[in-house]
Amino acid sequence: MPRLTVGAERKAQGYTLRRSDELEFQLIWDQRNGCATLFRGRYGTPRSLAGIVEFDVSVPDKVRAAERWVLAWPDRPED
């Protein structure tokens, strides 16, 4: 099985994270509290899907943390 990679593209409210197998995820910031939530799906689709994980303000590099989750999906990343 080929090794997966992930690319990030800046969007208005966060980032689109696209895996090399074409799965797409969204990292959306909540400007009110500084948290960010990772969703599975395309940018602009209704957010009726539950978020995969929320990164609170204590996570300094939310994009890097989200990339680890995206690469491990559907599992959790190893610590």
Side-chain angles (χ1 to χ4, degrees), residues 45-57:
T45 57
R47 303 236 195 287
S48 59
L49 298 175
I52 294 171
V53 64
E54 183 175 295
F55 304 104
D56 66 24
V57 295

Side-chain angles (χ1 to χ4, degrees), residues 23-24 33 35 38 45 49-50 54 59 64 68 71 74 78:
L23 289 180
E24 196 168 297
N33 62 17
C35 296
L38 182 65
T45 57
L49 298 175
E54 183 175 295
V59 178
R64 184 119 170 115
R68 289 184 65 234
L71 287 171
E78 295 180 13

Side-chain angles (χ1 to χ4, degrees), residues 6-7 9 11 15-27 38-45 49 52 70 73:
V6 64
E9 178 184 348
K11 296 288 185 178
Y15 286 83
T16 292
L17 301 166
R18 195 170 290 113
R19 246 174 34 176
S20 53
D21 63 356
E22 302 301 319
L23 289 180
E24 196 168 297
F25 301 79
Q26 307 305 317
L27 181 63
L38 182 65
F39 296 89
R40 167 79 173 84
R42 293 197 172 282
Y43 189 80
T45 57
L49 298 175
I52 294 171
V70 167
W73 179 261

